[in-house]
């Protein structure tokens, strides 16, 4: 690890939690330079929904490289891009009756968010964007302004403006109204809250602590947008691409957001790629108003097209729900064993979380799990949430193995705690 | 092309100038779906300095994929990343006595710029950044604020702040002082120009019209930074990676910027990758203050490591200079033939430009060149500059072929002009 | 009125509601050029707490002018200023155990607010200020940013930033918690609400609809400030100088704000004057950091000093409370007569208000009252609140006369409404 | 002075330079509590162009107070305001063919500037305002953003934005072009300087160092505004009301600014009053969009109306020019005596300045002059400029007396300097 300490910036973080050098990976497993295998319940922070080095995608990618398929295409028309667009339309958009136009905004999630924010401001002529407590939308200045995490906001080195912060679903308590609250501010000519261009929202705040918005809340939020003529931007970067079951996380709510941001697992293979989906009537971009050198990452288009095969049937979606419920059952049992240390189990599909009662517990559990061969991360500003994010292609055996380690790690850290308290 | 018109956002631009569907590419050539070949003097806007699908890099990439090398690694330690870091240090940093720490800020140029801006603001506690007329640094909100292009700025949909704009080298005329001018504003307690955190600069403004800063100007600029305790951020995204001859475009000036932004050709193969280089004493990031899902694009590390082989000797650098001079000679002859229509030839190494006297000429020349099988782009806000950006690995024959087309295209559009004027 | 229409800007407002030309004034009455007298329940929007052209103050002012007392003194030491400072300290500050330093920030309320905001930001190094729904703090850019009224905010012509908006006492309903709500945002590292420099608050939102903060709420707010190390700025411009009974409107709550803004009735005579009171340990201004040509308006110091005589006993304070209660009783009876049209009676001391149920009612009532010889204004963004603001020196007979007109005007407009509805 | 030290904020400044307590004043003289008289070449920073307690104005004011003329009128129509408006139109606007609408924006200069900035932004829909090096426009947030002084800007405690800073006439050297420079930035689509709403300018930068714009420069600036459709806001707060000779300082240039800000000497008597003059077609305010409690300071209207008598003939104007020239002759002779210590004599009419060669000289000279009974102030961010600002009504004898003291004080401080150097 000396190379990293000497040469890489202090900003690096995950390599400090998982201090080994990874070499190869396949499916749900990573292997380090010493040959140790690690079960992956982290999945590249949601970028590896189909596992590592998925065989079908790999085959297509190798073929493409071997035949000198164009690699870097800016926003020029290529065969690989055309195939992706057609198939994305046929397999995802058309069947869901979501006639979005597709923008390739640069291959990272924050690019997708930045272009959605720009377009919303341009169309409405308004400058502020309403965002939520504990939101996470990215690290470039525009996305950071609508994100909630204090440590990351402070790192901007300047005051983040043009964002109106409102409480997310259940932020003020399980039964506390938040939609009416927002509506009150927007209706009142004296509230001092200027009408925003848009509302940007995640259906599940993955980085913010796995906070799950209810279906009704999302529907009410869409209503608010319609009543006040705000655009609704849905950031489905981590919760989309099947993570919660359906391809889009908002399908269950039956809403039709004005824009949708996708990234992470859209390429399927972990290659950089992002999309901004835009209602056709809102596609008011002028040519070249937003660009970026790597928005035509054709390797990613190849694997992304292959990944869409998973969505030609309902199988992946229903399996994700089934496995998600399996996790929930297991974690609820775990909670019953440690009622004083586990406050809540929450999530949807294959994004599930354990909310511990104390700040350091999730972090300690993650370390303990890693020692036992499981990669798993925490979430939320206080670090008390352990987030389960296995590949959607995880087998039942792998799931059981991972849950077993989580049980053991939890037992270990809580017993340690008890023994500490006993002294 | 119907797929793109139906499904892709109106924001697409290059595909309108070059309206064919590209399929494969090799070295300096692209091939479209009809089998037509195009000589590439555009090089992915500078992302393909080593040509398309470079054979050595391709071989390494295929091997890596076949052995299931880890693809997506966030900021975890991997074998591929370690090798890149070590080799980048050995081949690039050490020999040049530039002991930078390396940040992987997310795999696009604008990510590299955003993190440099953040860090500069954080370290100094100041908020503004001094940037230049006709600068281009990227399309996310922070980078856009320091960019000059009006059309792109306006697309932000809000007022871009925290940027102090100053005239670039020669902006006010060949002999007009700009450094003294800047110094005057910074020294004067009544100027109303608050002391900035940093100055961000390109040595050649590639997108802004191929404006070349003189060596003395860059040295004076570094002096200004030292005197006023400003950080110097050098955006070497397009001019770096050997484009002007040496690996870094600022080597000739002998300066040591506080931070350097690299992207585009750093991966060598056109794969998304970006670096922010930081003086060790300025690497004051706290872990995780800046992150991003795709900052560990290991495919790119593999090709980037292979690309560094080109820098083990001086050959590429000297060849780039030789070929650049060849272009210059040819273009100066061309200018002699059309003194009324070509105002200036300028550039450095293999970034050269023809400044026409009228606004539409470069655009028309580009179209005419494309009709003759050459991909070449314009530059600058007014579109009067034709930018030559061939791969550094271009052969003399390919160079001659491209120059020949440029001569013909220029003759064609200027004769058309004359004949129009004659009517 | 033709002069005003031809020569004065369209921005003029009150002269449209009260379209006569006023000539002289004395005590509670104004007289127009036709000799008509108007009872004044508006009191210069709170600037005439001691009535028009108060005899004692007038005498002192005339003497001062006759002896060529210095009129305009910038911030130089003058006899008039010295006397004011000493007496303000002796009569107001010392007895209340409020050892504030006194700043003369320029002679309008918004100057007092702007300097408080500056100082708070400077001291804390933080940039945002927390302000409330329906707040009104002034019309210059800094004060406007923390004000709530949409029409006035929009007139800024730019996006108002650096303000965090929170719900005022009872904004979300009579029993809804707002302090806990604020605390939740400030405590949570993921809320996206950055820690502000200060909270700015009115104890009664006079312009915002006569919204009254409870004593407990103010106490809790002070607690919040202490816990999070925020400065508490109390804008007592309209509610201070005895309007609610005690000299400072916050005395009842027993709090000790970090800064207090005074203006309007501080000169006593309607002359421009404003103060920013600052806790001694927070008086961290450097000489000249905030200035203004008219901050030494010595005529105002003369009348202000005389006005302080009213505060040497408790009489004015207790009379204000007694008369306030008299108004409240009368208005509650009025409400009983029109339960469907009057929603609420609220206020404190001699700032009382009728909240009608419909938007135009207060405006119509004001016009009807003016026709009957009473000057009275509306309040709040929707214009449904009629605000009673008689001079504190109003006699019981004058009070009765005014209330009588309000009864008649209300009856008239409501009967008109009924008759309209009947058609 | 103990009262001030104990009770007044540290922000006070002039009282530190002139540490006596002033009591009365008449014409060009102030008297302190010890009976010492001081000749006033400071004139309330330009608020006392007609001297202290001008007899005619005093008479009118006393009459008005005695007959209970209305004192505080908000923006209601009053007899005093009507008379002022009519006379201002008859004596000032009509004869100069300047058909402005008159706004009473609140009685301080910064209020006049803030409302001009608001209106300009509203009308154009643009947010930035172009302002100049060493400009001074006021201390509230909007005015401060367009001011140049670093110490005062820093006191804002936040980053001042929405202002584009350009070099004032001669800022870059006597012969250096600044208008072309500005035009270059505004014409160029790639300059990064977004088109502003307006340009705000002083014809002489009084606080900024008595920098005098040439007539041609002002004319060219008006042209720039017309070509780029920017509004021209002329801040005539200190240079207007006859200070430079004609009533408006811009009359000589023959320009017709879109808005003019007046304050300081507009009331004539040193009473708080300010005006924003607006071209009729630009008077697009909606009623009440900008307001302020003290915008109807009727005492000031009375003295302001009387002050207009001075403008019924050319006498004051020509006398001001004559006396100005007298000062200039004297100061040029002074400079000849001290060529190494006095760099330049500059100014217009009765605003004249000595630019010393070293930073502390003007401050020392001011102190020395005060010791000899002359009140005179410095100007500019570095404090090397001594600014002569006698009342326009100064007699030749008083002028001679003041100049004599300036000669003596200068000789004294420079001889002290020599003697220091000799040691």
């Amino acid at each position: 690890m000396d190379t990293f300490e000497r040469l890489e910036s202090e900003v690096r973080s995950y390599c400090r939690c998982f201090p080994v050098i990874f070499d190869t990976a396949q499916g749900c497993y990573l292997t380090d330079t010493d040959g140790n295998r690690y079960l992956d319940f982290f999945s590249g922070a949601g970028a590896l929904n189909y596992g590592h080095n998925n065989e079908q995608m790999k085959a297509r990618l190798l073929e493409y490289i071997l035949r000198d398929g164009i690699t870097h295409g800016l926003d020029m028309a290529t065969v690989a891009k055309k195939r992706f667009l057609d198939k994305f339309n046929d397999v995802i958009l058309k069947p869901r009756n979501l006639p979005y136009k597709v923008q390739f905004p640069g291959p990272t999630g924050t690019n997708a968010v930045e272009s959605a924010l720009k377009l919303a401001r341009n169309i409405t002529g308004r400058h502020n964007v309403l965002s939520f407590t504990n939101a996470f939308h990215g690290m470039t200045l525009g996305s950071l302004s609508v994100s909630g995490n204090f440590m990351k906001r402070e790192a901007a080195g300047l005051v983040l403006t043009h964002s109106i912060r409102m409480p997310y679903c259940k932020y003020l308590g399980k039964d506390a109204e938040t939609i009416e609250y927002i509506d009150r501010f927007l209706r009142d000519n004296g509230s001092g809250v200027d009408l925003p261009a848009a509302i940007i929202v995640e259906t599940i705040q993955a980085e913010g602590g796995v906070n799950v918005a209810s279906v009704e809340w999302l529907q009410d939020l869409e209503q608010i947008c319609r009543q006040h003529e705000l655009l609704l931007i849905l950031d489905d970067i981590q919760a989309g691409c099947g993570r919660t079951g359906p391809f889009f996380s908002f399908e269950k709510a039956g809403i039709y957001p004005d824009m949708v941001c996708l990234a992470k697992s859209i390429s399927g293979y972990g290659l950089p790629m992002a999309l901004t989906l835009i209602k056709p009537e809102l596609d008011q971009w002028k040519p070249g108003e937003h660009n970026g050198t790597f928005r035509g990452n054709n390797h990613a288009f190849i694997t992304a097209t292959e990944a869409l095969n998973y969505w030609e049937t309902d199988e992946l979606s229903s399996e994700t729900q089934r496995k998600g419920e399996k996790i929930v059952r297991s974690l609820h049992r775990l909670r019953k064993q440690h009622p004083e240390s586990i406050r809540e189990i929450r999530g949807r599909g294959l994004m599930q979380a354990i909310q511990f009662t104390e700040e350091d517990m999730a972090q300690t559990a993650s370390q303990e799990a890693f020692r036992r061969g499981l990669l798993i991360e925490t979430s939320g500003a206080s670090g008390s949430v352990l987030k389960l994010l296995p590949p959607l292609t995880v087998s039942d055996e792998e799931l059981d193995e991972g849950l077993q380690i989580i049980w053991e790690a939890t037992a270990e850290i809580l017993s340690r705690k008890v023994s500490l308290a006993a002294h």
Side-chain angles (χ1 to χ4, degrees), chain A:
Chain A
M1 299 296 287
D2 163 72
T3 291
F4 301 98
E5 273 157 42
R6 267 189 308 114
L7 301 179
E8 194 178 352
S9 162
E10 293 300 319
V11 79
R12 67 197 190 279
S13 59
Y14 291 128
C15 59
R16 300 172 193 261
C17 308
F18 310 121
V20 297
I21 302 183
F22 295 102
D23 186 9
T24 59
Q26 179 48 243
C28 294
Y29 289 95
L30 295 118
T31 307
D32 71 14
T33 45
D34 294 331
N36 302 309
R37 293 175 80 224
Y38 300 85
L39 180 59
D40 189 356
F41 269 31
F42 185 18
S43 299
L48 294 165
N49 281 0
Y50 312 98
H52 290 269
N53 297 329
N54 181 289
E55 292 294 351
Q56 288 74 35
M57 301 179 202
K58 179 165 56 179
R60 291 298 86 69
L61 179 59
L62 287 168
E63 279 167 31
Y64 187 75
I65 296 174
L66 280 165
R67 69 177 284 270
D68 277 336
I70 195 164
T71 299
H72 179 280
L74 287 163
D75 72 347
M76 294 189 287
T78 66
V79 171
K81 186 170 167 182
K82 179 173 163 26
R83 284 193 189 142
F84 170 74
L85 276 170
D86 282 330
K87 191 157 180 185
F88 187 70
N89 192 42
D90 291 347
V91 176
I92 302 295
L93 298 182
K94 254 204 229 152
R96 286 164 182 79
N97 199 21
L98 297 168
Y100 289 119
K101 296 291 281 295
V102 178
Q103 179 184 3
F104 298 88
T108 71
T110 195
N111 278 302
V113 170
E114 292 262 351
S115 51
L117 296 177
K118 279 186 184 181
L119 187 57
R121 285 170 169 141
N122 255 318
I123 289 174
T124 59
R126 300 180 215 128
H127 293 221
N128 289 322
V129 168
L130 192 156
S131 63
F132 291 100
T133 50
N134 287 299
F136 183 85
H137 299 293
M139 297 302 280
T140 51
L141 199 59
S143 306
L144 193 54
S145 293
V146 290
S147 294
N149 188 288
F150 173 71
M151 185 263 274
K152 296 198 191 296
R153 288 174 68 83
E154 207 183 24
L158 52 72
V159 187
L160 298 168
T161 56
H162 300 101
S163 167
I164 297 166
R165 192 69 45 179
M166 287 287 163
Y168 192 70
C169 184
K170 296 169 218 156
Y171 184 73
L172 302 171
K174 285 258 172 248
D175 304 314
E177 240 330 318
T178 51
I179 292 288
E180 251 177 45
Y181 176 82
I182 296 168
D183 189 45
R184 175 92 171 86
F185 275 98
L186 296 181
R187 262 185 302 112
D188 180 2
N189 269 337
S191 73
V193 170
D194 305 317
L195 203 65
I199 294 181
I200 186 165
V201 69
E202 302 153 279
T203 60
I204 305 188
Q205 296 184 319
E207 295 300 308
V210 190
N211 308 309
V212 184
S214 73
V215 157
E216 296 71 32
W217 191 85
L218 291 170
Q219 291 165 342
D220 290 349
L221 195 70
E222 189 185 43
Q223 278 306 306
I224 288 272
C225 287
R226 298 305 156 245
Q227 279 161 26
H228 297 282
E229 302 191 339
L230 318 178
L231 298 180
L232 180 60
I233 302 171
L234 206 137
D235 178 340
D236 223 16
I237 292 171
Q238 187 157 164
C241 299
R243 175 53 62 186
T244 69
F247 185 81
F248 294 113
S249 71
F250 57 83
E251 291 181 34
K252 214 171 141 187
I255 60 175
Y256 178 28
D258 296 294
M259 297 184 228
V260 179
C261 301
L262 290 177
K264 291 201 186 266
S265 276
I266 186 65
S267 85
Y269 202 73
L271 298 176
M273 178 174 169
L275 301 179
T276 310
L277 308 180
I278 307 165
K279 279 187 182 172
E281 63 272 26
L282 298 176
D283 182 28
Q284 298 173 15
W285 285 114
K286 282 176 236 152
E289 278 192 328
H290 184 93
N291 58 20
T293 297
F294 294 118
R295 65 200 186 283
N297 183 11
N298 283 264
H299 286 193
F301 299 158
I302 292 295
T303 55
T305 306
E306 184 66 21
L308 292 172
N309 287 341
Y310 279 100
W311 297 98
E312 294 187 323
T313 70
D314 283 345
E315 200 191 325
L316 183 68
S317 178
S318 57
E319 274 293 282
T320 298
Q321 277 167 305
R322 184 185 64 76
K323 291 171 194 163
E325 285 155 21
K326 184 173 180 169
I327 293 178
V328 170
R329 282 191 303 272
S330 170
L331 297 185
H332 273 294
R333 284 197 309 273
L334 180 66
R335 188 185 169 217
K336 272 205 186 134
Q337 293 225 347
H338 309 287
E340 73 299 330
S341 301
I342 297 180
R343 179 172 299 145
E344 192 182 28
I345 304 305
R346 60 178 183 254
R348 193 172 286 159
L350 279 169
M351 188 191 302
Q352 297 291 342
I354 303 171
Q355 163 88 62
F356 287 97
T357 50
E358 292 177 34
E359 295 223 346
D360 60 334
M361 283 180 175
Q363 192 52 48
T364 327
S366 163
Q367 286 163 13
E368 191 57 38
F370 183 65
R371 235 175 38 86
R372 292 160 193 263
L374 178 69
L375 217 64
I376 189 166
E377 246 302 26
T378 64
S379 158
S382 72
S384 63
V385 175
L386 194 70
K387 180 169 71 167
L388 289 75
L389 214 65
L392 308 185
T393 52
V394 69
S395 70
D396 281 274
E397 293 68 36
E398 291 161 341
L399 206 51
D400 290 341
E401 182 192 346
L403 288 167
Q404 176 65 21
I405 295 178
I406 290 169
W407 275 68
E408 290 170 20
T410 304
E412 168 67 22
I413 63 149
L414 296 181
S415 73
R416 234 188 279 159
K417 219 177 150 58
V418 169
S419 103
L420 269 169
H423 284 287

